[in-house]
Amino acid sequence: MSKSSGKSGKWRWVKWIFILPVLLFLVVQLYFFVQIWWWVGHNPSMTSFMRQQQAAIQEKNPKANIQQMWVPYKRISSNLKRAIIASEDANFSEHEGVDWEAMQKAYEKNNKKKKVVSGGSTITQQLAKNLFLSGSRSYLRKGQELIITYMLETLMDKERIFEIYLNVVEFGTGTFGAEAAARHYYGVSAANLSAMQAAKLAVMLPNPRYFDKHRDSNYLARRTGVILRRMNSADLP
C-alpha cells in the first residue's frame, strides 16, 4: 500500500468521525419532527416524563400506574387555562415558543448559583421537555428542548399546544393532566373547576409532588391569591 492511499484511508476515517454524529443528530431530529406532526391530529398516550415517573412509582409498588384521562380542550375549565397562563407563561399567546427575557434572567440566576436551578421555560418548552426529554437540568438538554419547541410552534397552533400540555402536565405523584388532577384533589371534573381550585392547581405545577403532600402550606395559599388576581387578564389561545 502506498503512503498516499494510507493517508487517504485515514482521512476517510477522520471524516466519518465527524459525519456520523451529525447524521445521528439529524435522524433524532427527524424522529421528533415526525412524532410531533403525528400529534397534530392524534393524542399522545404516554410521554417520556410519564414513563419515567411510572417506572419510579413501580419501584415501590409494581402494580401502581399513573393516573391520566384525556379530555378535549373545550372540556377543561377556562379557570384552569387562565390560572396556568397567569402562573406559568403570561405571554403564551404572543411569543413564538421562547420567552428570551425570561431565559436571560434564568441564565443570570444560574450563573449566580453556579448551577442550573432555573430554566425560564414557557408552556411550549415545558411541553417539549415532558414529551421527549428527561427531567435532568443541563444546557445540552436545554438546547434540544429549544429545537423541539420550535418544531411544536411550527406544526401546531397555540390551542393544540395548550390542549396537549393540559392533558400531560404533572400535578402530583402519579397524577397527570387536568382531569386526573381535578378528580384527585377536588373530586370534580376538569370542566367544573372553580377559580380558587384552578389557581391552586396552577401554583402547584413547579413542584407538584411536594405540594401534593403539603396542600396547606402558607406559600401555596399566598401564591394562590396572587394568581386569582391575575387570572382575568390572562389571554387564552
Side-chain angles (χ1 to χ4, degrees):
M1 181 185 292
S2 66
K3 290 184 178 180
S4 60
S5 62
K7 290 180 179 179
S8 177
K10 289 180 181 179
W11 175 240
R12 282 198 295 270
W13 278 109
V14 170
K15 285 196 296 185
W16 277 110
I17 288 172
F18 289 98
I19 291 172
L20 280 175
V22 173
L23 289 176
L24 179 60
F25 173 80
L26 293 175
V27 168
V28 171
Q29 305 316 307
L30 179 61
Y31 165 76
F32 290 151
F33 187 87
V34 171
Q35 186 70 79
I36 292 168
W37 172 80
W38 176 255
W39 284 333
V40 171
H42 301 80
N43 300 329
S45 54
M46 288 276 283
T47 68
S48 174
F49 193 67
M50 283 182 192
R51 286 189 288 270
Q52 292 172 37
Q53 293 307 306
Q54 180 161 280
I57 63 176
Q58 285 180 345
E59 287 181 0
K60 297 180 179 179
N61 180 5
K63 295 183 179 180
N65 285 301
I66 62 169
Q67 301 300 311
Q68 190 247 5
M69 293 170 278
W70 187 280
V71 288
Y73 187 78
K74 293 181 179 179
R75 285 174 48 197
I76 299 174
S77 169
S78 292
N79 287 323
L80 184 61
K81 297 169 188 173
R82 293 185 185 281
I84 288 177
I85 288 176
S87 180
E88 294 291 294
D89 188 2
N91 298 318
F92 174 66
S93 297
E94 301 171 8
H95 62 62
E96 297 180 352
V98 179
D99 187 332
W100 291 105
E101 184 178 347
M103 285 193 66
Q104 177 63 29
K105 290 179 180 178
Y107 176 77
E108 293 170 358
K109 184 176 181 180
N110 294 337
N111 275 348
K112 187 175 181 180
K113 297 286 186 179
K114 296 184 178 180
K115 61 181 179 178
V116 181
V117 296
S118 177
S121 295
T122 63
I123 284 173
T124 313
Q125 287 175 267
Q126 292 178 45
L127 178 59
K129 179 188 71 175
N130 290 346
L131 287 173
F132 294 110
L133 306 175
S134 71
S136 64
R137 292 178 181 271
S138 71
Y139 288 116
L140 183 63
R141 197 224 68 188
K142 197 71 177 179
Q144 180 62 80
E145 177 188 297
L146 290 175
I147 295 172
I148 297 171
T149 293
Y150 281 113
M151 289 182 188
L152 286 165
E153 291 278 346
T154 299
L155 293 174
M156 297 180 181
D157 59 30
K158 290 286 189 178
E159 184 175 305
R160 180 57 176 165
I161 290 170
F162 201 24
E163 179 182 34
I164 296 176
Y165 176 89
L166 289 165
N167 276 285
V168 303
V169 68
E170 183 187 28
F171 279 100
T173 304
T175 303
F176 289 83
E179 186 70 17
R183 295 179 184 275
H184 176 68
Y185 291 104
Y186 302 114
V188 301
S189 69
N192 294 321
L193 285 166
S194 69
M196 177 66 77
Q197 291 168 340
K200 193 170 184 178
L201 286 177
V203 173
M204 294 173 71
L205 284 178
N207 199 354
R209 276 166 270 164
Y210 173 83
F211 288 121
D212 193 356
K213 297 177 181 178
H214 302 85
R215 302 184 192 185
D216 298 321
S217 75
N218 291 331
Y219 169 83
L220 196 57
R222 290 196 306 271
R223 182 65 179 169
T224 296
V226 171
I227 297 306
L228 269 171
R229 292 190 291 273
R230 293 180 181 175
M231 283 168 58
N232 288 336
S233 61
D235 293 327
L236 296 182

